[in-house]
Amino acid sequence: MKNTKMTKARLLGTSALVAAVLGVSFGVSMTSANAQASATDTQAITIDAGNLRASLDQLAAQFGLQLIVQGDLSGLQAQSISGELDVTQALSVLLAGSGHSFEFITDDSVRVFPITAQGTESSVTLPNVVVSATRSRRSISSMSPTVVVIGREQIEAQLAKTSDVTNVIRNSVPGFMFDDQSLIGSTETFRGRDVQVLVDGISRNTPLRNSSRILSLIDVAQIESIEVIPGSNAMNGDGATGATINIITKTGQVGENTFVVDGHVRSYTDDIGESFAPSLTLSGSGGVGAVDLAGSITASKTGNAYDGYGNQVPSDAMLGQGGFDNNEDLNVFGKAGVTVTEGHRLFFSTEVVRFRQDIDYFTDLTTDPVSVNYDKAYTGQPLEDESQYFTGGYEYDFGRVGKGDLKLFYNDSYKQAALSDFDATHNNFQLALANNTSALDPLGQSVIDTVKYGLKLSTDTSLDSVYDGMTLTWGGDLTFDDVKYRSVSGRDIGAPMEQDGKAVFAQLSAPVTRFVDLSGGVRYEKFDLTVDDYLRPNYLYNRTTPIAAAQFTGGNTSYNAVTYNASAVVHWTEKLDTSFSYSEGFSVPDIGAYTRRAGISGAPLNFASLDVDASKVKTYEIATRYSGQDFRTTGAVYMSTNERGDTFDSATNKLSQQKERIIGAELTAEYDISEDTYIGALASYVEGRYDKDKDGDLEEWLPNNRIPSPFRFTGYVDSYVWDDLNMRFDGTYTAPRSKIDDAKIDSSLVFNLSAHYPVLGGTARLGVENIFDASYENPAASALRGYSVAGHGRTIMMGFRREF
């Protein structure tokens, strides 16, 4: 108890400092710019039934109120209102049955908070949130407690200190590895395995040549919620061996028109001027008649980045993958839908990404940690990403046949890497000119150009006539991948590839009494892969030894995967649930990584010599959840196994398809100290072995690039100070790993602070990352590349959001 009081005292002390900074920075009074109505004044109100948060926003705008929302309103609906009501009456009607209540903090500020079944306040409840990443629309209460839905309110709470989707997820769920602070997503592993990223159910992964820049380039402004399903899963195809992350974009609500202006500036305290980074977002949603609309546009620009010692961080510390410094970023999102008739809706959405990083200097890999080589100016083309994504579809309700949707999608991405300088250990093979094997190609940086399109059908058919509450979810997918792997000069540096995929699936779920929910399903998927012949270009080894060009012989292959899943959720009481689950997922090998260096170091030049097969991963999990009045917690233990891996071994230029086993445990907990303050924690442990010599024994530890740290812990304190100033203090510790000889990964400890304050009809934000300017080695980046990469130093972000 003594430690709790000390923690709260330190928080309150820091709160005063942050409040002062907020006051100086924005120079405004605490009085809203809008004229306020008394709580007893009545007004003519007409609000259509629909999304609860949108209805609350409409009511707040009409009465000139500031809303402070605690908990998660995602998926909750409000009934319609029409008549002469005061604000208290209107709020009561809107929140009826939602599991939330309200209180006036000041005359113009209302706090909306979750309540338990007994009517007392709680920081978090488990509303009837629906998860769509499973292809069915299942209630989260019928799924494993490890499944998490991050609502818009939770996302907004983190925007004070980060606008990176990766960090939002990592700060909300255990099991997700530490951020490598670069564009690359290769370290975005979950439970030591790969992550499948979906946007509105459509995969963004490019498995045949994984470009990895996925989460880092998704604009957080377009997101309504994020679904995270840990464990292997095949319901959306290949790639989800560690977890499925489904990003749900915003959809306009007819009659609830809103417009949002959101801007922030960010700088490193070591050099505020050189690191100055502004960002501006304009977004809106709403609709008229049968048409709903939503859209956003975000433009940002960044300067230099610095580590905890005050040294500039290299722009390309990850050898070609680039970072978030010295870049220009533009993201445009739009979605439109039209309700043809009740239960039938046509929709279309698009996202366009334009990212460019201008690098000034090469990276010096000989220092510890790696540093900026000020003596060698960068001579390559900028790092770029030009991607566009289109999705159209039809949502339907055919009565007994079922409810569902048919989606057609087209993804086109162009991802240009940076030019990497020679290094005798880490970059000793470099592309030579086609007509001069002793000279490097100045346009030798790589480009991954991919096109992915197809269709997805999902239908929920009620089987109430067989058993009350039983649902059959069924459907299928058709996908096509076209991958080109080239240099900026237009030369193929990997074999061109095409892959067709066909899949069908069925999932059966039912409540067996009110205490048990059962679910089980199967999916069959077949791939036909064509790898073209190509001339593998000539290289220079160690800048002196030419590696002559060689002809690579392509080929065709087919491989398939049948995957199963089953789960049981037992509701012991209204507060305690336990789940037992088994699931299977699979991934296909990164063929592009193999073909790039075919014929080098003994690697064969014939595709037929490569034993290509899908890697099936099986996950076994036991999880439990307790939701009490003041205390909430979830815990899980799991094991995942596979008989064949799919990792490209750059040391041998071969696919390493070996047996693996990973075990781990996860824990989340929150406790309400008072009605205004709660504390919480996320913790995860993961470790794994593999059969290196394929003798059947798991004798070797998995490499650091799979598991950079075996243990991660995040603790936080969230408190309301001076009524409506919300503050959050958190810290994350990653444990060292020394399983691999001569490749120890050091520990790290970083603390952060964020604050929100309603003012001028909007919300002012302040965030400080790495508040003590700690110097540390980034565990994920260092593990991936095999050399020390410094973590980023202290940054300050100040922003303001106003909704109209």
Side-chain angles (χ1 to χ4, degrees), residues 53 57 69 150-162 168 220-224 250 260-262 283 726 754-756 763-765 800-803:
R53 179 56 197 260
D57 290 339
V69 179
I150 307 169
R152 185 63 201 182
E153 285 72 29
Q154 294 169 278
I155 295 172
E156 291 283 354
Q158 297 196 48
L159 294 185
K161 60 185 178 68
T162 182
V168 171
V220 71
Q222 71 191 46
I223 300 175
E224 180 63 33
K250 294 180 178 179
V260 177
V261 178
D262 193 337
S283 63
N726 177 239
S754 61
H756 296 78
T763 301
R765 300 189 299 242
F800 180 76
R801 180 183 187 275
R802 174 71 189 271
E803 183 174 314

Side-chain angles (χ1 to χ4, degrees), residues 26 158-164 219-221 261-267 276-281 298-302 763-767 796-801:
F26 294 97
Q158 297 196 48
L159 294 185
K161 60 185 178 68
T162 182
S163 56
D164 186 355
D219 182 15
V220 71
V261 178
D262 193 337
H264 69 255
V265 294
R266 177 174 177 168
S267 288
F276 186 74
S279 177
L280 178 64
T281 297
T298 297
S300 62
K301 182 179 178 63
T302 65
T763 301
R765 300 189 299 242
L766 174 70
I796 295 181
M797 178 186 289
M798 302 177 66
F800 180 76
R801 180 183 187 275

